Amino acid sequence: MNKRQFKDGVYSELAKITKSLANPHRLEIIELLAQGDCPVEQIAEQTHLSVANASQHLQVLKAAQLVDVDRKGNFIHYKLANENVFQTWKALRELGVERIAAVEKLVKDFRKSKFDFVSVTIDELVKKIDTGRVTLVDVRPESEYKKGHIADAISIPHDQLSQRLKELPKRTEIIAYCRGPFCVFADEAVALLRKAGYKASRLEEGFPDWKLQKLPVEVSVN
Amino acid sequence: MNKRQFKDGVYSELAKITKSLANPHRLEIIELLAQGDCPVEQIAEQTHLSVANASQHLQVLKAAQLVDVDRKGNFIHYKLANENVFQTWKALRELGVERIAAVEKLVKDFRKSKFDFVSVTIDELVKKIDTGRVTLVDVRPESEYKKGHIADAISIPHDQLSQRLKELPKRTEIIAYCRGPFCVFADEAVALLRKAGYKASRLEEGFPDWKLQKLPVEVSVN
DNA sequence: TATCTATTCAAGAACTTTATTGAATAGATT
DNA sequence: AATCTATTCAATAAAGTTCTTGAATAGATA
């Protein structure tokens, strides 16, 4: 094998991986799987795809070895092959927000129009936890909370929040978090909480970002 | 705009960026531009593409805002839009090497078959520079050296090395570096040096990786 | 102003990717 | 062993990507 063949080989393999990521639905699937493993049907539902279509996208990710499968009873669970997959998605996400005005505009317009408040970064949250009292609320679906959540966070899924406000303290600051910067659950939660007189803000990033930094995590085993 | 439209918008913008990276030639172009800005014709030559084809690929990268243009006299120079672009390429590269056996095999087979020696990581090189004496040789084309190189490195382009061996000390350790882990210039240099009785190894990563870590860099201004 | 030249554009053929549909499969459960 | 069911496969039409070729352009030099 000569030099050129070697280079062509390497770059074409890397392009294959990149291609497997280069689709809006597959990026959304990666973000979803970063919350924990998940059967096909749930992925299809969450991403608004048909099951057959979701399955096909998962096959593409599997062929690129970005996801692994696990059979659990009647269901087949998919999961990210390793941390590096989320890391790469994070790099792409950040590149997008920084480089592409369209993405930043989408995010800002949507957020600012409906939810006019600032968010807290992971670093800021760590300081807050160290120095003061904070109530952490995980507003993702309970199944995702169970698969892993920030230590000491309580689970109140976004669609149950209005009925469960009493569980939250009025005095201490509340930080809501969800899947990631493009997930709206936390924004909706904060809007609701503020309207009800609570002192609340959202975490800018999501649970997978917290976990990637090796910060304390808890799992609810079934 | 509702939640679903927002998500669809964001993921499809991010997928557009990812698609612009998802091609072997464009990945190679990114790696080349990470060495410093460069006119179209040189990019075409280095990547073995026709000029028209290289230009088209550059248009794709430009549309995704991953590269910027600068006119210099008669030539149009392309450059990476910012550090994050290289960062993302690096994440993809590492994901590839870690996840895809095919990539690792290609690299190992090619290297091990022709160049049977271990490489030095950036961290190890930093320590070596601190504690001992090391001669650093930049074996990339001189134009790339001029656009930026590791501090105190000397330039001996790979194709001139055999005639310029006398410039190098026989006693102190020599570390050769080039564009990155998939670049073969440094391997060839080390093979040649060892055969001639020098104590030499290659840097595993390349100059852009060194620069990304904010380690000391020099530029030869023209 | 005319010429030169690096780069881009445009059109088209070959190939790849995607969503949809309905059938097939493989592994549990009964 | 028979049935059930979550998932995958296969075929197809529509849309997108890529390389090649040769012409067009825009900005510099003369």
Side-chain angles (χ1 to χ4, degrees):
Chain A
M1 187 193 282
N2 71 26
K3 229 158 87 175
R4 190 68 237 167
Q5 288 169 329
F6 166 67
K7 278 203 171 181
D8 286 349
V10 170
Y11 289 114
S12 97
E13 286 299 327
L14 292 176
K16 272 187 209 163
I17 301 176
T18 312
K19 279 193 175 119
S20 80
L21 288 168
N23 172 286
H25 300 304
R26 290 199 290 272
L27 288 178
E28 193 175 357
I29 289 173
I30 296 283
E31 169 125 294
L32 202 56
L33 291 179
Q35 315 303 320
D37 58 314
C38 201
V40 180
E41 203 177 1
Q42 253 183 63
I43 293 167
E45 190 190 324
Q46 295 271 348
T47 54
H48 296 228
L49 292 172
S50 72
V51 171
N53 198 185
S55 172
Q56 261 181 219
H57 282 300
L58 286 162
Q59 296 308 309
V60 173
L61 292 171
K62 195 171 108 188
Q65 300 188 62
L66 302 189
V67 303
D68 287 337
V69 291
D70 250 343
R71 182 171 272 272
K72 285 188 185 169
N74 233 325
F75 295 83
I76 289 176
H77 284 234
Y78 279 84
K79 65 175 181 211
L80 296 191
N82 77 347
E83 227 170 43
N84 242 309
V85 179
F86 177 72
Q87 181 87 264
T88 304
W89 151 243
K90 192 177 158 103
L92 285 166
R93 191 184 86 187
E94 284 167 2
L95 180 63
V97 173
E98 200 210 310
R99 287 315 300 162
I100 308 299
V103 175
E104 215 195 344
K105 193 168 149 38
L106 266 168
V107 175
K108 281 203 176 148
D109 283 3
F110 188 73
R111 283 259 168 72
K112 289 261 160 77
S113 70
K114 307 205 173 180
F115 317 107
D116 188 18
F117 38 77
V118 289
S119 47
V120 170
T121 65
I122 286 184
D123 292 346
E124 288 163 358
L125 176 56
V126 168
K127 273 183 208 146
K128 272 181 199 288
I129 291 173
D130 280 356
T131 62
R133 241 176 307 172
V134 183
T135 302
L136 261 172
V137 186
D138 187 319
V139 296
R140 297 174 301 159
E142 203 181 356
S143 61
E144 294 175 18
Y145 174 86
K146 280 186 179 161
K147 284 179 274 187
H149 55 263
I150 298 182
D152 300 323
I154 59 172
S155 167
I156 306 185
H158 65 109
D159 52 0
Q160 297 174 21
L161 185 58
S162 58
Q163 300 115 60
R164 294 175 59 183
L165 281 176
K166 288 160 221 147
E167 298 175 30
L168 293 168
K170 275 262 176 185
R171 301 255 172 84
T172 66
E173 187 178 2
I174 297 169
I175 308 283
Y177 73 87
C178 53
R179 291 171 178 160
F182 306 140
C183 179
V184 188
F185 294 157
D187 294 302
E188 293 171 341
V190 172
L192 184 69
L193 288 169
R194 292 206 171 189
K195 213 169 173 182
Y198 291 86
K199 201 181 154 206
S201 17
R202 76 159 280 169
L203 183 65
E204 194 170 314
E205 301 97 336
F207 168 69
D209 299 85
W210 177 273
K211 190 179 166 199
L212 184 68
Q213 290 188 31
K214 311 283 183 206
L215 291 163
V217 161
E218 284 166 2
V219 176
S220 313
V221 192
N222 270 21
Chain B
M1 187 193 282
N2 71 27
K3 228 157 86 176
R4 191 66 237 166
Q5 288 169 328
F6 166 68
K7 277 203 172 183
D8 286 349
V10 170
Y11 288 113
S12 97
E13 285 299 327
L14 292 176
K16 272 187 208 163
I17 300 176
T18 312
K19 279 193 175 120
S20 80
L21 288 167
N23 172 286
H25 300 304
R26 290 199 291 272
L27 288 177
E28 193 175 358
I29 289 173
I30 296 283
E31 169 125 296
L32 202 56
L33 291 179
Q35 314 303 321
D37 58 316
C38 202
V40 180
E41 204 177 0
Q42 253 184 64
I43 293 167
E45 190 190 323
Q46 294 272 346
T47 54
H48 296 228
L49 293 172
S50 71
V51 171
N53 198 185
S55 172
Q56 261 180 218
H57 282 300
L58 286 163
Q59 296 308 308
V60 173
L61 293 171
K62 194 170 108 189
Q65 301 187 60
L66 302 188
V67 303
D68 288 336
V69 290
D70 251 343
R71 183 171 269 273
K72 285 187 185 169
N74 232 325
F75 295 83
I76 289 175
H77 284 234
Y78 278 84
K79 63 176 180 210
L80 296 191
N82 77 348
E83 226 169 45
N84 242 308
V85 179
F86 177 71
Q87 181 87 266
T88 304
W89 152 244
K90 191 176 158 103
L92 285 166
R93 189 184 87 186
E94 282 167 3
L95 180 62
V97 173
E98 199 209 310
R99 287 312 302 161
I100 307 299
V103 175
E104 215 194 344
K105 194 169 149 36
L106 265 168
V107 175
K108 280 202 175 147
D109 282 4
F110 187 72
R111 283 258 168 72
K112 290 260 160 75
S113 70
K114 307 204 173 180
F115 316 108
D116 188 17
F117 38 76
V118 289
S119 47
V120 170
T121 65
I122 286 184
D123 292 347
E124 287 164 358
L125 176 56
V126 168
K127 273 183 209 147
K128 273 181 199 287
I129 291 173
D130 280 357
T131 62
R133 240 177 306 171
V134 183
T135 302
L136 262 171
V137 186
D138 187 320
V139 295
R140 298 175 300 159
E142 204 181 356
S143 61
E144 294 175 19
Y145 174 86
K146 280 187 180 160
K147 285 180 273 187
H149 55 264
I150 298 183
D152 300 322
I154 61 172
S155 168
I156 306 186
H158 65 111
D159 52 0
Q160 298 173 22
L161 185 59
S162 58
Q163 299 116 58
R164 294 176 57 183
L165 281 176
K166 289 160 220 149
E167 298 174 31
L168 292 169
K170 275 261 177 187
R171 302 255 172 82
T172 66
E173 187 179 1
I174 297 170
I175 309 282
Y177 72 88
C178 52
R179 291 170 178 161
F182 306 139
C183 179
V184 189
F185 293 156
D187 293 303
E188 292 171 341
V190 171
L192 184 69
L193 288 169
R194 292 205 171 191
K195 213 169 173 182
Y198 291 86
K199 201 182 154 205
S201 17
R202 74 160 280 168
L203 183 65
E204 195 170 313
E205 302 98 335
F207 168 70
D209 299 85
W210 176 275
K211 190 179 166 197
L212 183 69
Q213 291 188 32
K214 312 282 181 205
L215 291 162
V217 161
E218 284 167 1
V219 177
S220 313
V221 193
N222 270 22

